Amino acid sequence: MITADDVLDGSAARRVATVARIARPVTAVASVSVVIPAKNVAAYVGETLASALAQGEVSEVIVVDDGSTDDTTAIVRAIRDPRLHLVTNDSAGVSAARNLGARHASGEWLLFLDADDRLRPGAVAALLAAARAAPRAVLVYGDYNTIDSEGRQIGRRDLLKGRRKPSGDVLARLASGNFIVNGGIALARADTFRAIGGFDVSLRYCEDWHCWCRLAAIGEFEFAPKLLLDYRLHTANTMNAAVRTPQDFFPAIARIFDDGLILARLPVGAAAGLRRAAEIHLVTYSAMQAIRFGRYRDAFAYLGMVGRLSPISLPRAAIRVVLACFGI
């Protein structure tokens, strides 16, 4: 197995090119471990677990309780399925919980599902099919729709039929903005995830984006154009737009563009422009979330930030914010 250190040692370009050429066929019985960090999610975790255990291709579901004080663990323990395992993490944070779950996982592929979201029927099968068609991929991913706290659909991403996201060498595109958004739509090769060190526990927000960028630095991605997840938006979300601002996300940008593994794979001279694109992306995302939560004054303020960063990017950002009003 080629590790992140291997990429950085010697000629990065030559070693990464070698990684990209390695094809690892996905067997018909490929094993998938679903890792679910959970903290005080008694209202949702039962539904989330049901959606994961309904996936026939899932070999195990690992719930990592991160110091819950409600009935979360009781609900998990009450479910009788030999594939379900409960691990405790003692309030170490979501990244540490995911990393702990990954260390306990035995599957060839990992799926990181949030404890308030739910997988759609056939989601894992669709991802494995995409992986079989792309044996060089270290991560395969699809798309999601959004639901509210009661489970009602609020997103209209089904209107984006035929939309394609990047496949292959996606690092530069990914460094300019997180197009995966939610780990519940992705399968990552377990050995590659461990090779890059998992999630950075020092990041409070966008730690998944940083992780995906490190994976993209040593392998290819493959997109499956299907809606695979119901992503719940409500006031308890970690990324809740009711309290988050663009400044909360900027430490992740700094981490990505100070990461030697990522920088070694970016085109020469491209980092500055990609960093500015990432800033615009996250400020636009903040404006979109503010609109969804009725924070219209903040949304306009964030669009003003986009205009100051790059006037030419403002029209596109404004269109994305308008589409967010309609759940797109």
Side-chain angles (χ1 to χ4, degrees), residues 20 27 53 94 123 167 170 204 253 272 295 312:
T27 66
L53 293 168
V94 65
S167 293
V170 304
R204 188 176 180 189
I253 297 177
R295 294 169 51 222
I312 198 172

mmCIF file of all heavy atoms in Angstrom, residues 20 27 53 94 123 167 170 204 253 272 295 312:
data_model
loop_
_atom_site.group_PDB
_atom_site.id
_atom_site.type_symbol
_atom_site.label_atom_id
_atom_site.label_comp_id
_atom_site.label_asym_id
_atom_site.label_seq_id
_atom_site.Cartn_x
_atom_site.Cartn_y
_atom_site.Cartn_z
ATOM 1 N N ALA A 20 -2.207 6.577 -9.333
ATOM 2 C CA ALA A 20 -3.363 6.727 -10.210
ATOM 3 C C ALA A 20 -3.494 5.560 -11.176
ATOM 4 O O ALA A 20 -4.587 5.254 -11.637
ATOM 5 C CB ALA A 20 -3.265 8.039 -10.984
ATOM 6 N N THR A 27 -14.591 -6.594 -5.734
ATOM 7 C CA THR A 27 -15.194 -7.912 -5.833
ATOM 8 C C THR A 27 -16.711 -7.836 -5.658
ATOM 9 O O THR A 27 -17.257 -6.844 -5.162
ATOM 10 C CB THR A 27 -14.623 -8.852 -4.764
ATOM 11 O OG1 THR A 27 -15.008 -8.384 -3.469
ATOM 12 C CG2 THR A 27 -13.107 -8.905 -4.848
ATOM 13 N N LEU A 53 -28.959 -0.195 8.025
ATOM 14 C CA LEU A 53 -29.085 -1.646 8.123
ATOM 15 C C LEU A 53 -29.943 -2.227 7.008
ATOM 16 O O LEU A 53 -29.875 -3.426 6.726
ATOM 17 C CB LEU A 53 -29.658 -2.023 9.494
ATOM 18 C CG LEU A 53 -28.729 -1.725 10.681
ATOM 19 C CD1 LEU A 53 -29.489 -1.847 12.002
ATOM 20 C CD2 LEU A 53 -27.510 -2.645 10.663
ATOM 21 N N VAL A 94 -16.409 15.061 16.743
ATOM 22 C CA VAL A 94 -16.900 14.248 15.635
ATOM 23 C C VAL A 94 -15.764 13.635 14.830
ATOM 24 O O VAL A 94 -15.854 12.485 14.389
ATOM 25 C CB VAL A 94 -17.843 15.084 14.741
ATOM 26 C CG1 VAL A 94 -17.098 16.221 14.055
ATOM 27 C CG2 VAL A 94 -18.536 14.198 13.710
ATOM 28 N N ALA A 123 -28.621 2.902 -1.913
ATOM 29 C CA ALA A 123 -27.524 3.868 -1.974
ATOM 30 C C ALA A 123 -26.165 3.175 -2.041
ATOM 31 O O ALA A 123 -25.322 3.510 -2.887
ATOM 32 C CB ALA A 123 -27.577 4.800 -0.764
ATOM 33 N N SER A 167 -15.025 13.482 -11.894
ATOM 34 C CA SER A 167 -14.447 12.167 -11.670
ATOM 35 C C SER A 167 -12.987 12.205 -12.108
ATOM 36 O O SER A 167 -12.551 13.135 -12.789
ATOM 37 C CB SER A 167 -15.195 11.088 -12.468
ATOM 38 O OG SER A 167 -16.505 10.900 -11.999
ATOM 39 N N VAL A 170 -9.407 14.823 -9.278
ATOM 40 C CA VAL A 170 -10.306 15.933 -8.931
ATOM 41 C C VAL A 170 -9.677 16.934 -7.965
ATOM 42 O O VAL A 170 -10.357 17.859 -7.525
ATOM 43 C CB VAL A 170 -11.610 15.391 -8.302
ATOM 44 C CG1 VAL A 170 -12.299 14.395 -9.231
ATOM 45 C CG2 VAL A 170 -11.347 14.748 -6.934
ATOM 46 N N ARG A 204 -12.524 22.227 13.482
ATOM 47 C CA ARG A 204 -13.880 22.150 14.013
ATOM 48 C C ARG A 204 -14.917 22.065 12.907
ATOM 49 O O ARG A 204 -15.959 21.434 13.072
ATOM 50 C CB ARG A 204 -14.156 23.376 14.895
ATOM 51 C CG ARG A 204 -15.474 23.277 15.646
ATOM 52 C CD ARG A 204 -15.668 24.457 16.569
ATOM 53 N NE ARG A 204 -16.927 24.354 17.296
ATOM 54 C CZ ARG A 204 -17.430 25.330 18.049
ATOM 55 N NH1 ARG A 204 -16.768 26.472 18.170
ATOM 56 N NH2 ARG A 204 -18.585 25.163 18.663
ATOM 57 N N ILE A 253 -9.626 26.319 5.200
ATOM 58 C CA ILE A 253 -8.928 26.768 3.995
ATOM 59 C C ILE A 253 -7.434 26.881 4.282
ATOM 60 O O ILE A 253 -6.596 26.415 3.489
ATOM 61 C CB ILE A 253 -9.490 28.116 3.515
ATOM 62 C CG1 ILE A 253 -10.958 27.969 3.110
ATOM 63 C CG2 ILE A 253 -8.669 28.662 2.348
ATOM 64 C CD1 ILE A 253 -11.616 29.265 2.678
ATOM 65 N N ALA A 272 -2.619 29.861 -5.091
ATOM 66 C CA ALA A 272 -3.203 31.147 -4.708
ATOM 67 C C ALA A 272 -4.585 31.332 -5.320
ATOM 68 O O ALA A 272 -5.535 31.752 -4.639
ATOM 69 C CB ALA A 272 -2.274 32.289 -5.112
ATOM 70 N N ARG A 295 -32.087 34.093 7.324
ATOM 71 C CA ARG A 295 -31.184 35.168 7.748
ATOM 72 C C ARG A 295 -30.832 36.030 6.526
ATOM 73 O O ARG A 295 -29.708 36.026 6.043
ATOM 74 C CB ARG A 295 -29.933 34.572 8.381
ATOM 75 C CG ARG A 295 -30.199 33.823 9.686
ATOM 76 C CD ARG A 295 -28.975 33.023 10.144
ATOM 77 N NE ARG A 295 -27.773 33.849 10.167
ATOM 78 C CZ ARG A 295 -26.591 33.406 9.727
ATOM 79 N NH1 ARG A 295 -26.456 32.206 9.234
ATOM 80 N NH2 ARG A 295 -25.536 34.195 9.802
ATOM 81 N N ILE A 312 -16.195 39.564 -10.362
ATOM 82 C CA ILE A 312 -16.644 38.739 -11.475
ATOM 83 C C ILE A 312 -17.391 37.498 -11.002
ATOM 84 O O ILE A 312 -18.180 36.900 -11.744
ATOM 85 C CB ILE A 312 -15.433 38.330 -12.361
ATOM 86 C CG1 ILE A 312 -15.921 37.866 -13.733
ATOM 87 C CG2 ILE A 312 -14.588 37.257 -11.687
ATOM 88 C CD1 ILE A 312 -14.788 37.640 -14.726
#
